[in-house]
Amino acid sequence: MIFGKDFGLTEEGQLVFYQEDIYEPKPAVRRLIDAGEVLFQTVPLDDRPLYYMYRGVHWRQDREKFLQHDIRYDITVILPGLIGQEYIKTVGHFHPLKPQSSETYPEYYEVLSGEALYLLQKNNRRGEVEEVLVVEAKKGDKVYIPPGYGHITINPGNEPLVMANLVEANFSSIYEPFAAKRGAAYYYIQNEKGQGEFVKNPYYQNSVALRMVAAPNLPQPTEAVKNASLYGAFIQQPEAFEFLK
């Protein structure tokens, strides 16, 4: 269902929707100058766009269903390329606690085109890393970000990465933990042989081994997504996504 055959990309990497009855919000743009605090190397910062975030995309007839359930469907386009040696990534964030709960909000991703590396990181109360998991994902793969994890997304490929997510509609992400440590516990860089390689971030005092897993090997939090896109599954069974709230 939405949006595999319903969009294209401009030369700049922005979405173009082919259907008039799709609500297309203006994108929030993350530029190189916005990512300076979390980069592997110090580089000259400018207005070069790194990724575009479209928050609240939907078929117009589905608007009330999203509003009724306080769930938002977003699409993000991460451009390909390098910043110095580092592959382009999101700046990364954590999620706040749910009201009257010790659990943070989760998030649910799907790769619409391209390939992705989702780095999930759990910190202790001092901001030091306790666990790092990297999920390799391709078109059609779904990746669940459980409560308690911060995350960044890396585009390791040669084409734009287009991904969607379902998330609670109203909370604000927390960017400070990654900014305070100049990024996640690992950077993904292109080494001297032209190959991708994870290297440790020296701003963390402790050292935690990185674990990698392919997205199809991960459990899914709901059976509703079996043989369905995130968007289609939510429209058909919105009650199956109450765990996002």
Side-chain angles (χ1 to χ4, degrees):
M1 198 172 171
I2 210 166
F3 279 100
K5 297 182 180 179
D6 298 313
F7 71 85
L9 297 175
T10 67
E11 291 185 3
E12 295 78 20
Q14 296 195 43
L15 285 176
V16 177
F17 289 98
Y18 301 141
Q19 305 291 335
E20 292 184 358
D21 52 350
I22 294 175
Y23 173 69
E24 178 183 355
K26 291 184 178 179
V29 185
R30 287 287 187 269
R31 303 181 184 275
L32 181 55
I33 195 169
D34 302 317
E37 293 182 310
V38 297
L39 297 178
F40 172 65
Q41 296 165 300
T42 300
V43 298
L45 301 178
D46 54 35
D47 287 337
R48 168 188 173 188
L50 301 180
Y51 54 100
Y52 302 94
M53 299 174 289
Y54 298 80
R55 297 188 175 101
V57 180
H58 55 264
W59 291 95
R60 294 184 186 276
Q61 68 265 25
D62 297 331
R63 180 175 183 271
E64 290 304 319
K65 185 165 290 189
F66 282 101
L67 291 176
Q68 177 185 352
H69 292 275
D70 286 326
I71 298 294
R72 198 179 68 225
Y73 181 88
D74 306 331
I75 296 179
T76 300
V77 182
I78 304 178
L79 300 178
L82 297 170
I83 304 169
Q85 288 180 264
E86 188 175 13
Y87 288 86
I88 292 178
K89 64 184 180 183
T90 60
V91 296
H93 63 264
F94 285 75
H95 298 168
L97 294 172
K98 297 179 180 180
Q100 299 179 340
S101 173
S102 60
E103 186 177 85
T104 65
Y105 288 97
E107 194 164 2
Y108 212 172
Y109 282 91
E110 179 180 15
V111 176
L112 301 183
S113 66
E115 54 185 303
L117 295 173
Y118 292 95
L119 187 152
L120 284 63
Q121 177 170 319
K122 181 177 287 188
N123 287 355
N124 61 27
R125 293 182 178 180
R126 295 180 290 107
E128 295 296 329
V129 61
E130 290 186 335
E131 181 183 349
V132 181
L133 172 69
V134 172
V135 182
E136 300 174 291
K138 298 182 179 180
K139 182 178 179 179
D141 287 338
K142 301 173 184 71
V143 177
Y144 177 59
I145 312 295
Y149 288 85
H151 58 99
I152 69 170
T153 308
I154 303 160
N155 182 354
N158 297 318
E159 61 180 89
L161 162 61
V162 185
M163 62 183 186
N165 68 275
L166 285 175
V167 70
E168 197 276 339
N170 302 303
F171 76 76
S172 297
S173 298
I174 302 171
Y175 297 93
E176 290 80 6
F178 282 132
K181 294 288 190 180
R182 297 199 62 81
Y186 285 84
Y187 301 106
Y188 190 65
I189 68 166
Q190 187 178 85
N191 62 25
E192 294 178 354
K193 297 181 180 180
Q195 300 170 334
E197 178 183 351
F198 281 99
V199 296
K200 291 181 179 180
N201 179 345
Y203 286 87
Y204 288 85
Q205 294 180 5
N206 56 341
S207 180
V208 174
L210 179 150
R211 182 166 64 95
M212 296 195 68
V213 63
N217 294 329
L218 288 174
Q220 300 296 328
T222 173
E223 288 292 321
V225 300
K226 189 175 182 179
N227 301 320
S229 67
L230 283 187
Y231 190 99
F234 174 79
I235 294 303
Q236 293 299 318
Q237 300 183 58
E239 67 282 353
F241 295 87
E242 288 296 305
F243 61 86
L244 292 173
K245 303 193 302 184

